[in-house]
Amino acid sequence: MIVMKFGGSSVANHTQIEKVRAIVEAKRERAPVVVSSAHKGITDALVDAAKAAAKGELTRIDPAGLEPGPGAAALSKRGVFVDPIGRQRTILAELGCPADLLDAFFAELCDLLRGVSLVRELSPRSLDYVSSFGERMSVRALADYFTRNGLPARAHDVWDLGFITDDNFNRARPLAGWEADCREAFAKLDDALPVVTGFVGKNRAGDITTVGRNGSDLTAALLGGALGAEEVQIWTDTDGVMTADPSLVDGARNIPAMRFDEAAELAYFGSRVLHPSTLLPAMASDIPVRVLNTNRPGHHGTVIEQKAVENPSVATSIAYKEGQSVVVLRTTRMFGQAGFLAKVFAILGERGVDVDMVSTSEVSVSLTTADRAGITAAMPELERLGECELHHDRTILAVVGQHLPQRPGIGARILGGVADAGVNVEMISYGVDSINLTMLIADADIDRAVSVLHGMLFEAR
């Protein structure tokens, strides 16, 4: 058995979905389980609609479609409101699905958005519920299309296959022991190809949860571990894991094989290919993860496993994580005082603020987080401990490699290359026996820093 996860770009439209069908058909002898994301753009459109409803900015909420009201604020990052119902209907028509295939879902979504609009409140629980419609609709469209085109398939909501989670909305995880229920549920399935929702789950109370944005990777890895799969395949729109973000670096190269720890570092520090938590269940079960390109299925992609071959290169890849906020706390009360940092992290922990980088001296501590709202809310309490500065729009830039600490002068070369690009480094983290060197730079400097480092580390002769 293999688990094959297809992302939003892989199931974006009829052309891409036909590619997926052909790829899965070619793997039928390996008993595939398909995990699907929502069609590209649908989840963003659902979230935008939910936020618009909470602000009273939807004038029409019915199964025929959604419309923003006159004078509505910008409803998405792109400044354009996309009707998720209209977009889904277009995809159904492209695929030749029955026009009423998802009418029950459209009606359910509209009822939910009306409720949000009436109370003018969008809780984490309600947001998960709204966000779940993308995957729930996509698997039914895919299963219908596959079946009508010679590949008998059946859609499944993952909670019907044992995936019952905790109550941590937006970041849920399956409950301990769920694997046995999952194996029992799969044993009862018929011979039709299972097409399973990624990203979503349900708690014991029956409330829909999600595992976090781009979390279908994690669903696939968890299912792979529970079912003892031979391999978990993550199908994307790139040739596996690359030496840098190909949208920034034209010369970015495929990495044929890498270790779990390298891939985990890259995912955590912003690699766009894998969800940060994806590799944990695969590592625990020692199941290889293979990253492949839906648009070039013949490409070997990247295989990630515990015993990958040694990488002779100076570095494996460059990743970045933008949108960071940095706090600098200065006080002489830190000097020689045991437990001072514990007070700092207790304040952040109470607000669920996840810290990425930390740098300390005897009289100051600097730390970064992607949780802008959380760190802003924590500032009044932090200011009771000392003088604080808060800066936004920063990026963690990470160079990952198997043997960085054993390469004399590599740290100086990396920092020198960044300096030559005219980029200021505000913080550095480089631990003993670490496989990554991380730097904090301004968001505006990402392109220059990544391009220069890639040229130095991967393209120089």
Side-chain angles (χ1 to χ4, degrees):
M1 172 188 289
I2 58 173
V3 176
M4 308 175 72
K5 177 263 176 178
F6 293 91
S9 60
S10 295
V11 296
N13 51 42
H14 174 265
T15 299
Q16 292 301 106
I17 291 170
E18 173 53 27
K19 293 177 184 177
V20 170
R21 189 204 63 77
I23 289 168
V24 175
E25 177 69 43
K27 305 289 185 183
R28 281 295 279 162
E29 75 283 356
R30 299 181 71 183
V33 173
V34 171
V35 174
S36 181
S37 296
H39 307 297
K40 184 177 181 179
I42 291 288
T43 301
D44 282 341
L46 287 165
V47 171
D48 290 343
K51 291 178 178 178
K55 295 177 182 178
E57 293 176 343
L58 288 181
T59 57
R60 187 181 72 179
I61 306 177
D62 63 57
L66 309 175
E67 284 184 359
L75 299 177
S76 76
K77 293 179 290 185
R78 299 156 302 283
V80 177
F81 181 76
V82 177
D83 170 18
I85 293 176
R87 173 73 183 125
Q88 187 68 59
R89 287 192 184 279
T90 297
I91 294 172
L92 290 179
E94 288 179 357
L95 297 176
C97 298
D100 61 353
L101 178 67
L102 299 176
D103 279 1
F105 289 92
F106 298 148
E108 182 184 356
L109 173 60
C110 289
D111 287 344
L112 176 57
L113 291 175
R114 286 192 198 96
V116 170
S117 183
L118 286 170
V119 299
R120 295 290 197 273
E121 181 181 346
L122 184 63
S123 66
R125 175 176 174 271
S126 296
L127 183 59
D128 272 6
Y129 190 0
V130 173
S131 301
S132 74
F133 281 88
E135 277 70 18
R136 294 162 66 196
M137 294 188 297
S138 71
V139 296
R140 285 159 174 85
L142 263 64
D144 177 79
Y145 178 79
F146 289 175
T147 299
R148 287 184 292 103
N149 288 273
L151 182 59
R154 195 175 311 281
H156 299 276
D157 292 316
V158 71
W159 53 74
D160 292 330
L161 300 174
F163 198 86
I164 303 302
T165 75
D166 56 29
D167 301 330
N168 190 12
F169 296 102
N170 306 154
R171 298 182 65 181
R173 293 296 181 267
L175 297 175
W178 74 278
E179 296 91 345
D181 292 338
C182 179
R183 289 189 288 272
E184 182 179 349
F186 267 88
K188 296 177 181 177
L189 298 183
D190 58 23
D191 292 335
L193 170 76
V195 183
V196 184
T197 52
F199 176 58
V200 300
K202 265 188 182 179
N203 63 16
R204 289 201 183 280
D207 297 320
I208 292 177
T209 59
T210 69
V211 300
R213 288 301 300 266
N214 304 312
S216 293
D217 292 356
L218 177 58
T219 305
L222 287 165
L223 285 176
L227 299 172
E230 169 192 346
E231 183 175 270
V232 173
Q233 297 182 352
I234 307 295
W235 289 84
T236 69
D237 54 5
T238 63
D239 291 333
V241 183
M242 310 292 282
T243 51
D245 182 351
S247 69
L248 293 185
V249 180
D250 290 338
R253 306 170 183 175
N254 164 263
I255 304 167
M258 60 196 310
R259 299 189 319 219
F260 277 129
D261 58 351
E262 295 174 279
E265 292 282 0
L266 288 172
Y268 182 78
F269 286 114
S271 172
R272 272 64 178 161
V273 177
L274 292 170
H275 184 280
S277 300
T278 299
L279 296 168
L280 298 179
M283 291 169 67
S285 303
D286 198 19
I287 295 173
V289 174
R290 192 177 299 273
V291 184
L292 298 158
N293 189 344
T294 305
N295 299 313
R296 296 216 299 164
H299 193 279
H300 55 75
T302 300
V303 63
I304 304 166
E305 53 190 341
Q306 196 65 50
K307 297 179 181 179
V309 296
E310 290 291 299
N311 185 350
S313 300
V314 172
T316 300
S317 186
I318 302 165
Y320 62 91
K321 191 176 184 180
E322 71 267 55
Q324 294 277 311
S325 297
V326 57
V327 173
V328 182
L329 189 160
R330 299 183 183 90
T331 176
T332 55
R333 284 182 285 165
M334 284 183 64
F335 190 82
Q337 181 180 341
F340 184 87
L341 289 180
K343 295 177 183 178
V344 173
F345 284 99
I347 291 170
L348 301 177
E350 288 173 1
R351 286 162 178 75
V353 176
D354 186 21
V355 174
D356 290 315
M357 286 182 71
V358 180
S359 177
T360 65
S361 72
E362 286 295 341
V363 293
S364 72
V365 56
S366 302
L367 54 87
T368 74
T369 179
D371 187 354
R372 183 168 182 161
I375 196 66
T376 301
M379 287 300 289
E381 285 196 64
L382 291 174
E383 287 169 345
R384 296 192 187 105
L385 300 179
E387 178 187 343
C388 291
E389 296 177 12
L390 176 61
H391 306 280
H392 302 297
D393 305 321
R394 298 300 193 268
T395 288
I396 294 177
L397 178 63
V399 177
V400 175
Q402 291 180 8
H403 307 293
L404 288 181
Q406 290 81 44
R407 308 269 186 173
I410 187 62
R413 285 184 60 200
I414 291 170
L415 292 173
V418 174
D420 289 344
V423 174
N424 184 44
V425 175
E426 300 178 10
M427 287 176 63
I428 300 172
S429 176
Y430 192 28
V432 175
D433 204 28
S434 173
I435 65 168
N436 72 77
L437 188 159
T438 56
M439 300 155 277
L440 189 73
I441 64 174
D443 283 352
D445 292 331
I446 294 173
D447 289 23
R448 281 186 294 160
V450 173
S451 296
V452 167
L453 283 178
H454 193 274
M456 182 184 76
L457 295 171
F458 298 102
E459 299 172 32
R461 296 292 181 182

